[in-house]
Amino acid sequence: MNKKFFITTPIYYVNDVPHIGHAYTTIAADVVARYKRLAGYEVFFLTGTDEHGQKVQQAAGLSGREPQAHVDDLHVRFKELWVRFNISNNDFIRTTEERHKKVVCEILQKLYDEGEIYKDSYEGWYCMPDERFWTEKDLIDGNCPECGRPVDKIKEFNYFFKMGKYRDWLVEHIQNHENFIQPKSRRNEILGFLKNPLDDLCISRPKERLPWGIPLPFDDKYVTYVWFDALINYISVHGHLQQIKDSGFWPATHQLIGKDILTTHSVYWATMLKAAGLDLPHNIFAHGWWTINGQKMSKSLRNVVEPNHLIDQFGVDVIRYFLLREVPFGLDGDFSHKALIGRVNSDLANNLGNLLNRTLNMLKKYFKSELPSIDAKGEEDGPMIDKSREVTGAIDQLYDELAYSKILTKLWEFLDAANVYINDTAPWNLAKTDDGKKRLATVLYNAAEACRVIAVLIAPFMPETADKMMKQLGIDTPVEKQGLDSLKEWGWIQPGTRTHQGPQIFPRIDDKAAAKILKEVNIGGEAPSPEKKAEGDGNGQITIDDFMKIDLRTAKILEAEKVKKSKKLIKLKVDLGSEQRQVLAGIAEAYEPEQLVGRTVILVANLKPAKLMGLESQGMILAGSDDKTILLGGFDGDLPPGVRVK
Ligand code: MSP
């Protein structure tokens, strides 16, 4: 098999050190790259740094250095962090490298020769931090519509790429390729944007204003606009145009980005590729943004959310797991230390760690740490083994959808099944009789194989943990060599294998340690500072930061049915754009299920799931009520599912 798979992250600006938002995209891409390698693909996983443009030039100026010295120094911070996070990128591209600059020039020259680029005078409002021109009508209160900062009026001659003429073609491409932009809500956003005329793209900056960039090959008084330069990294890594086509790694399977850079990717990049005669990526996935303990990320918080610091505190795999488990990919999320500690204790220590620990304990106690062979099969074996097959089968599709939290939920279903298997077979009772002992061998063999299966399956998310588990199970073959093929038949692990119980892979964070961590990040326990009081909680008022902790989303009702034996509850299936959820709503006395399907309502999307009448409710729908009436909240027009309500 020689299936090729190319996955990319954005290339990060080196105007500052990396933060958890950068780590998020890179870890997400790494997980898929690792999974695809396990599945036998030839994977090319690319990340890198965006080193030209105004932001970088300014940052270099502030540090009192030449831009080249600044980027040579800062890009290392990204490289080092990716090593710490166990990122398995195959290449790291820098836009100041010759190999990149050559391809940018090749493409610029080609488009210029073919009449796709022209020179014109331009007058517009320029946002320096975003490096974008805006028209008068785009501005909001005279400021940049994207970042809200002041803009400058600039008139100058520049070069333009004829982007506007590709609008109809692009709309058609998006409509014909459902997966081209994901999640769906973002795709609709771009289709909405393309309802307006599409301007041509200014692709140059006069050198006298901004010298830090790649000179245009046909006019050295100008440098290339940083986005036109940066986007080309995704192909320049493969070489010149013909090499890109021959590499087998273009088009990319997935291009992962944050939601703020969707237009540049799905419009600028797509039309640039079209003009250059190259195919479009199969999928551009725009993920949401992280806040930290309910607050926007800011430099003053860097000490506690600095990724290296988080790794020191919790370990690499905990952070990798948490980021992808906590929030469905595509939605915004809050990095809460409390939630993180909760996940470590429940999912990792109690569930995963416990399965390995109890299995190895019993192997030691009953078989002197030597894996027995299957002897007496029993009726409990089937369901657990079937579950392993079901989960292994189901996740492949979920990987294609980049549905990380769903994948992990599925894997934990298998973990639960394995823990239930041990509880139901009760090895400690089997050990008491001779007949029981035969069955005991089978049960502990199966438990060890279950540990191996789960180690292979979690390896893309938690590579270090998978290795530790293999070591304790006494398996020398690396996970990569075992591959997903080793999960096809139950029973890969060899009887006779000598297990080596080691330290707990995920020790619990006890209350004292948790309180210490929370104190460090200033949550809970502490009295609010006087400024905080004045700001918010003096007379029952909350701050905007408090409010923003509630993740309100538009949700479209797909299915509705009354809950049996309940007068009030209706069970709903709702679409959140990037995922579907089951929600229970106490509205059965006011609405018939048929009235609800198709409506768009407001969902509290980050509410902890709760069980009502034995059914899980994954969120809460907003409704108003007095003594007589209950009415669902909604909108007086159409909004796609998954949109944030503020
Ligand atoms: N250099 C451009 C990308 C060029 S790609 C050809 C850039 N760089 S960036 O460093 O500013 O941001 C890189 C990525 O980090 C973006 O996808 C952005 O969405 C993401 N994040 C920045 N802050 C973030 C959060 N707070 N949360 C999640 N991701 C965030 O844009």
Side-chain angles (χ1 to χ4, degrees), residues 166-298:
Y166 291 109
R167 187 189 70 161
D168 293 348
W169 161 81
L170 183 57
V171 169
E172 207 178 305
H173 182 87
I174 298 172
Q175 277 165 346
N176 291 341
H177 298 82
E178 217 187 325
N179 293 335
F180 175 54
I181 304 173
Q182 277 179 332
K184 223 159 118 191
S185 55
R186 301 274 166 226
R187 178 175 183 258
N188 292 339
E189 222 173 86
I190 293 297
L191 284 171
F193 170 79
L194 289 171
K195 285 199 173 126
N196 303 312
L198 183 62
D199 291 334
D200 287 345
L201 181 66
C202 176
I203 54 122
S204 65
R205 299 291 181 260
K207 241 184 194 168
E208 63 205 22
R209 182 155 68 76
L210 175 66
W212 185 235
I214 303 177
L216 293 184
F218 42 82
D219 189 342
D220 65 5
K221 287 194 260 340
Y222 289 87
V223 297
T224 313
Y225 169 44
V226 68
W227 272 102
F228 197 93
D229 156 0
L231 287 160
I232 290 175
N233 90 86
Y234 300 131
I235 48 178
S236 65
V237 71
H238 303 308
H240 58 72
L241 269 173
Q242 193 51 48
Q243 286 170 318
I244 298 163
K245 288 179 190 161
D246 296 342
S247 69
F249 283 117
W250 191 259
T253 314
H254 293 291
Q255 299 214 261
L256 270 48
I257 56 168
K259 62 180 182 180
D260 54 319
I261 54 174
L262 180 59
T263 317
T264 49
H265 280 78
S266 57
V267 182
Y268 299 5
W269 180 222
T271 52
M272 283 164 65
L273 284 166
K274 172 74 180 161
L278 291 167
D279 288 337
L280 268 52
H282 294 298
N283 168 241
I284 296 174
F285 198 110
H287 65 67
W289 267 47
W290 283 94
T291 49
I292 304 286
N293 295 314
Q295 289 168 288
K296 210 169 169 254
M297 282 190 212
S298 74

Side-chain angles (χ1 to χ4, degrees), residues 517-575:
I517 293 168
L518 296 182
K519 191 161 173 218
E520 208 184 315
V521 293
N522 210 4
I523 322 165
E526 289 206 315
S529 65
E531 309 85 79
K532 265 219 153 146
K533 269 220 155 96
E535 225 178 77
D537 52 357
N539 49 6
Q541 292 172 330
I542 60 167
T543 64
I544 186 75
D545 284 343
D546 291 332
F547 174 72
M548 291 307 278
K549 284 183 204 165
I550 306 172
D551 189 14
L552 297 175
R553 297 275 160 182
T554 54
K556 186 166 181 178
I557 300 178
L558 302 175
E559 291 169 19
E561 64 177 275
K562 287 199 165 162
V563 172
K564 278 188 204 131
K565 295 194 191 144
S566 167
K567 266 210 271 178
K568 292 197 172 154
L569 287 181
I570 290 194
K571 184 173 87 173
L572 304 171
K573 189 197 257 183
V574 297
D575 180 11

Side-chain angles (χ1 to χ4, degrees), residues 572-612:
L572 304 171
K573 189 197 257 183
V574 297
D575 180 11
L576 265 185
S578 58
E579 59 165 333
Q580 294 182 0
R581 298 240 190 125
Q582 169 172 293
V583 177
L584 298 167
I587 51 172
E589 288 168 321
Y591 291 89
E592 289 303 322
E594 306 78 67
Q595 287 175 274
L596 295 166
V597 175
R599 278 181 79 130
T600 296
V601 291
I602 306 170
L603 180 81
V604 183
N606 60 345
L607 196 68
K608 212 172 164 189
K611 276 214 165 143
L612 302 171

Side-chain angles (χ1 to χ4, degrees), residues 295-360:
Q295 289 168 288
K296 210 169 169 254
M297 282 190 212
S298 74
K299 281 198 175 157
S300 56
L301 288 167
R302 166 94 13 94
N303 58 334
V304 285
V305 295
E306 203 275 316
N308 282 294
H309 184 72
L310 280 174
I311 295 176
D312 294 340
Q313 254 179 334
F314 297 101
V316 170
D317 282 358
V318 167
I319 307 298
R320 287 178 62 111
Y321 173 79
F322 178 75
L323 287 173
L324 294 173
R325 174 68 189 83
E326 191 63 5
V327 177
F329 205 56
L331 298 186
D332 290 339
D334 184 44
F335 190 100
S336 135
H337 288 72
K338 255 188 195 161
L340 174 61
I341 294 167
R343 289 267 175 214
V344 171
N345 286 343
S346 66
D347 301 5
L348 300 179
N350 281 1
N351 219 335
L352 179 60
N354 191 31
L355 175 71
L356 180 72
N357 213 35
R358 66 205 298 217
T359 303
L360 295 178

